[in-house]
Amino acid sequence: MCFRNLLAVIILSISLLASCTSGPGPAPQDPNNPPAPTPTVGRLSYGDTLFFLGTNAFRFPVSKPSPSGYFKAIPFGLSIDTLTGRINIAQSETGIRYKIYYVSQAGEKLDSVKIVISGIDYRDTIVQLAATPSAYDTSFPIYNARPGLILPCGDDDEDGDGDLDDDDNRCVFDETDLDNDGDDDIDGVNQEKLLVDIKKGFIDVEASFQAGIFGSSNPANGLMRDFTFYYRIDDASNRALNKISVRVYHYRRRADIPQALFDTLNLRNDIAAAVNSRVYPISGQHPQVDTDGSYQSSSIFSRLEYASRPKRPPIIIIVSQ
């Protein structure tokens, strides 16, 4: 009996000693706030320039200039930590090319890099229905911020059986099954008369207007509607659920479009020029849209001021007469 008690005391003592010497274990890592690795010294780089939803949600710079500084991105829409440069892919607007700057504490732009968050976009456009009476006006998706890049959606006979009507749906636009369980969760924008091709993603603008996107075939002047639709693309995102919002305006005549809306389109041209150019743009060296369709020049903002200027949603202006 004494031996058993002695053995129990020894085991208890060993357990207490182990708990005292080992100390608390490492704190669990917050998956929503991973630690920032230390980047090497060099040109600003994230190790790649194209990032997809459904993969690593966070991206950090792998190298940057040595002086202390902070990060800034244009246009508005990239979820970036200004201190570490960490990008949250899942919280960023997709389908957009961004320029990330590394800026010194004195405000000097030390370096920059362009990246793309994969997805689709649409070109801001003015559609004059009367100008194309024999053709349907269509807005085509821009994939990965590269106009003309073909979507990886295959043809209309993806299983090779000769049946063009049984598309295997490698891509789905205006997705209504958000949790991928086989049941519709929302109605989709096609039910709201924004006619989006569910396999290719193009928007039939004229057919949308004729179908009553604004409630009638002769809507009031100056109406505006916002639409958000979901989509899946068969690419490195592994068909992760993505989304985009589109803004549609109606004016009877081009002259009815307010100058403020032209200013918005011009600002977006400036933003695109700032993102894509290698040098600081000089005032008046890129086109500006005027109310009569001609081009004008205007002064532009400092590039870093574009960080608060959104490129979204894409704007489609329908001129019906």
Side-chain angles (χ1 to χ4, degrees), residues 8-299:
V9 170
I10 293 173
I11 292 174
L12 178 61
S13 299
I14 293 174
S15 300
L16 291 174
L17 180 62
S19 64
C20 291
T21 57
S22 62
Q29 181 176 311
D30 182 358
N32 295 317
N33 189 27
T38 302
T40 61
V41 174
R43 295 295 305 273
L44 180 60
S45 173
Y46 281 79
D48 204 343
T49 58
L50 177 61
F51 302 104
F52 294 83
L53 289 178
T55 55
N56 188 351
F58 297 97
R59 296 287 180 166
F60 291 89
V62 298
S63 61
K64 69 174 184 64
S66 58
S68 61
Y70 60 94
F71 298 84
K72 203 81 170 178
I74 62 172
F76 180 82
L78 185 69
S79 178
I80 184 170
D81 187 295
T82 59
L83 297 179
T84 65
R86 181 193 69 185
I87 298 171
N88 187 331
I89 304 297
Q91 296 298 319
S92 299
E93 285 278 1
T94 59
I96 295 178
R97 176 176 288 109
Y98 298 94
K99 179 170 281 188
I100 302 172
Y101 291 96
Y102 185 64
V103 185
S104 74
Q105 297 297 341
E108 179 187 0
K109 304 176 186 71
L110 299 176
D111 205 355
S112 65
V113 66
K114 289 180 281 189
I115 69 163
V116 173
I117 308 298
S118 180
I120 64 168
D121 196 10
Y122 293 90
R123 191 185 304 278
D124 296 327
T125 185
I126 300 173
V127 178
Q128 295 185 258
L129 300 183
T132 54
S134 60
Y136 279 102
D137 295 286
T138 304
S139 185
F140 293 94
I142 300 171
Y143 178 52
N144 288 351
R146 291 177 57 189
L149 183 64
I150 298 175
L151 281 161
C153 299
D155 55 27
D156 290 328
D157 183 24
E158 293 165 5
D159 55 11
D161 65 355
D163 186 350
L164 299 182
D165 295 324
D166 68 346
D167 195 315
D168 297 332
N169 292 332
R170 289 171 56 186
C171 298
V172 178
F173 298 91
D174 197 21
E175 172 69 280
T176 55
D177 180 10
L178 304 187
D179 55 8
N180 212 24
D181 66 351
D183 296 322
D184 291 337
D185 301 299
I186 58 174
D187 292 331
V189 295
N190 275 284
Q191 296 298 318
E192 299 180 64
K193 309 304 182 185
L194 182 70
L195 302 184
V196 179
D197 186 278
I198 63 173
K199 298 177 182 179
K200 303 300 181 184
F202 61 81
I203 300 172
D204 195 329
V205 179
E206 183 170 356
S208 298
F209 181 77
Q210 300 296 344
I213 189 174
F214 292 107
S216 74
S217 59
N218 185 29
N221 207 27
L223 294 180
M224 182 270 288
R225 291 190 67 187
D226 285 336
F227 301 87
T228 298
F229 67 86
Y230 295 84
Y231 63 93
R232 302 181 190 274
I233 297 179
D234 187 23
D235 56 15
S237 70
N238 294 316
R239 302 182 79 251
L241 188 67
N242 210 330
K243 68 177 180 179
I244 186 172
S245 296
V246 178
R247 178 166 294 172
V248 185
Y249 290 89
H250 169 255
Y251 294 95
R252 292 198 175 100
R253 301 175 303 152
R254 188 184 182 97
D256 296 330
I257 302 174
Q259 183 59 45
L261 194 47
F262 282 107
D263 291 342
T264 296
L265 300 183
N266 288 333
L267 176 61
R268 293 182 176 195
N269 285 342
D270 290 341
I271 292 173
V275 169
N276 291 313
S277 63
R278 294 186 177 183
V279 296
Y280 297 148
I282 300 174
S283 173
Q285 287 194 348
H286 51 277
Q288 302 284 302
V289 184
D290 207 345
T291 54
D292 61 358
S294 62
Y295 289 93
Q296 61 174 343
S297 62
S298 66
S299 61

